[in-house]
Amino acid sequence: MKKPIIAPSVLAADFSNFAAGVADIRAAGAEWIHLDVMDGKFVPNLTFGPKLVQDLRPKSSGIFDVHLMIYEPDRLIPEFAKAGADYLTIHAEAAVHTHRLLVGIHKLGKKSGISIVPSTPVSFIEPLLPLADLVLVMTVDPGFGGQELIPECLDKVKRLVEIRQRLGGAFLISVDGGINETTAPLARNAGVDVMVTGSAFFDAPDKTALVARLKG
Ligand code: DX5
Ligand code: ZN
């Protein structure tokens, strides 16, 4: 069984020194950097825009996994692509024409992601799976770090694994929210390829050891 990719979220980093947070991520052996973009409308929190991605890009060769928790993501997708995002993940609940948006992300030469909040069933995004390089299953209600994982959301991971086997799809399955040493084994057993972790990573005294433990 392949070990999962770990994607620490800078939402839990020190906002006065993102570069240090990114350096910690790379030093700990995590492959991806998860960047939580929030507009204060789609989610009740507000974070940062494309300029942070642009400024962090030269500081890390890691994969920039940009999670767009924003309404009308079409307004900013080109900016984040230009800034250096590798994956651009939109929310299925944040736009009507998500099919067109995923096609647009590919036209920009980027990897496309689709994310669903806890109340959204997998069936809602099934038509989009052929266009997705990544499916991000929210295991908390989005907006804030440090929340408890909602275990029922892991059933969606199992369903996505089944669908991928049936479709012959190539999308990666990621989980986001409440991932720590206790919940990581549940996510691994469900079949995830990527695990996002914010507070567990940035609160860990030994980040390298934590990454190794999350990978199992
Ligand atoms: C929540 C974000 C998550 C969050 C994860 O809306 O999408 O990426 O930062 O943080 P933890 O791991 O602390 O739940
Ligand atoms: Zn996220």
Tab-separated table of all heavy atoms in Angstrom, residues 9 11 34-38 67 69 136 138 176-177 196, ligand 2:
chain	number	residue	atom	x	y	z
A	9	SER	N	-1.074	22.495	6.047
A	9	SER	CA	-1.790	23.721	5.667
A	9	SER	C	-1.190	24.935	6.373
A	9	SER	O	-1.095	24.965	7.605
A	9	SER	CB	-3.263	23.615	6.070
A	9	SER	OG	-3.836	24.909	6.074
A	11	LEU	N	-2.561	27.525	6.929
A	11	LEU	CA	-3.564	28.227	7.752
A	11	LEU	C	-3.153	28.187	9.222
A	11	LEU	O	-3.457	29.091	9.999
A	11	LEU	CB	-4.946	27.582	7.580
A	11	LEU	CG	-6.103	28.282	8.295
A	11	LEU	CD1	-6.401	29.632	7.648
A	11	LEU	CD2	-7.366	27.415	8.275
A	34	HIS	N	-0.264	23.083	1.490
A	34	HIS	CA	-1.689	23.354	1.306
A	34	HIS	C	-1.962	24.809	1.657
A	34	HIS	O	-1.638	25.263	2.765
A	34	HIS	CB	-2.493	22.424	2.219
A	34	HIS	CG	-3.967	22.459	2.016
A	34	HIS	ND1	-4.603	21.803	0.988
A	34	HIS	CD2	-4.944	23.079	2.730
A	34	HIS	CE1	-5.913	22.011	1.077
A	34	HIS	NE2	-6.137	22.777	2.121
A	35	LEU	N	-2.525	25.530	0.692
A	35	LEU	CA	-2.760	26.975	0.885
A	35	LEU	C	-4.259	27.243	0.888
A	35	LEU	O	-4.925	27.125	-0.147
A	35	LEU	CB	-2.059	27.749	-0.235
A	35	LEU	CG	-0.531	27.655	-0.175
A	35	LEU	CD1	0.085	27.492	-1.563
A	35	LEU	CD2	0.048	28.887	0.500
A	36	ASP	N	-4.786	27.590	2.048
A	36	ASP	CA	-6.233	27.757	2.227
A	36	ASP	C	-6.658	29.185	1.926
A	36	ASP	O	-6.417	30.094	2.726
A	36	ASP	CB	-6.619	27.427	3.668
A	36	ASP	CG	-6.664	25.933	3.909
A	36	ASP	OD1	-7.263	25.232	3.075
A	36	ASP	OD2	-6.100	25.469	4.914
A	37	VAL	N	-7.288	29.359	0.772
A	37	VAL	CA	-7.754	30.689	0.360
A	37	VAL	C	-9.221	30.838	0.775
A	37	VAL	O	-10.050	29.997	0.406
A	37	VAL	CB	-7.617	30.861	-1.168
A	37	VAL	CG1	-8.109	32.246	-1.611
A	37	VAL	CG2	-6.167	30.643	-1.599
A	38	MET	N	-9.525	31.847	1.575
A	38	MET	CA	-10.884	32.021	2.089
A	38	MET	C	-11.366	33.453	1.837
A	38	MET	O	-10.592	34.400	2.008
A	38	MET	CB	-10.914	31.731	3.595
A	38	MET	CG	-10.449	30.330	3.943
A	38	MET	SD	-10.543	30.043	5.729
A	38	MET	CE	-9.840	28.397	5.816
A	67	HIS	N	-6.303	25.606	-2.158
A	67	HIS	CA	-7.680	25.223	-1.832
A	67	HIS	C	-8.530	26.488	-1.820
A	67	HIS	O	-8.440	27.293	-0.901
A	67	HIS	CB	-7.674	24.543	-0.446
A	67	HIS	CG	-9.017	24.109	0.028
A	67	HIS	ND1	-9.228	23.697	1.326
A	67	HIS	CD2	-10.209	23.993	-0.608
A	67	HIS	CE1	-10.502	23.370	1.464
A	67	HIS	NE2	-11.114	23.542	0.311
A	69	MET	N	-11.576	28.279	-1.154
A	69	MET	CA	-12.859	28.308	-0.462
A	69	MET	C	-13.471	29.691	-0.690
A	69	MET	O	-13.568	30.529	0.213
A	69	MET	CB	-12.665	28.028	1.040
A	69	MET	CG	-12.332	26.576	1.322
A	69	MET	SD	-11.667	26.305	2.977
A	69	MET	CE	-9.952	26.720	2.667
A	136	LEU	N	-11.015	16.584	-3.128
A	136	LEU	CA	-10.698	16.972	-1.740
A	136	LEU	C	-11.950	16.802	-0.893
A	136	LEU	O	-12.918	17.573	-1.033
A	136	LEU	CB	-10.208	18.430	-1.705
A	136	LEU	CG	-9.831	18.992	-0.344
A	136	LEU	CD1	-8.633	18.242	0.263
A	136	LEU	CD2	-9.494	20.483	-0.455
A	138	MET	N	-13.754	17.255	2.369
A	138	MET	CA	-13.660	17.988	3.632
A	138	MET	C	-14.128	17.093	4.760
A	138	MET	O	-15.232	16.526	4.689
A	138	MET	CB	-14.506	19.265	3.585
A	138	MET	CG	-14.016	20.330	2.612
A	138	MET	SD	-12.281	20.737	2.827
A	138	MET	CE	-12.309	21.433	4.470
A	176	ASP	N	-9.278	16.650	4.321
A	176	ASP	CA	-8.859	17.953	4.822
A	176	ASP	C	-9.681	18.348	6.041
A	176	ASP	O	-10.873	18.621	5.941
A	176	ASP	CB	-9.071	18.989	3.695
A	176	ASP	CG	-8.525	20.339	4.043
A	176	ASP	OD1	-7.932	20.488	5.111
A	176	ASP	OD2	-8.710	21.270	3.220
A	177	GLY	N	-8.986	18.331	7.215
A	177	GLY	CA	-9.671	18.796	8.422
A	177	GLY	C	-9.628	17.758	9.525
A	177	GLY	O	-10.163	16.658	9.362
A	196	VAL	N	-4.304	16.390	4.225
A	196	VAL	CA	-3.994	17.767	4.619
A	196	VAL	C	-3.970	17.808	6.145
A	196	VAL	O	-4.816	17.182	6.793
A	196	VAL	CB	-5.060	18.740	4.093
A	196	VAL	CG1	-4.810	20.152	4.607
A	196	VAL	CG2	-5.103	18.717	2.562
B	2	ZN	ZN	-7.927	23.257	3.097
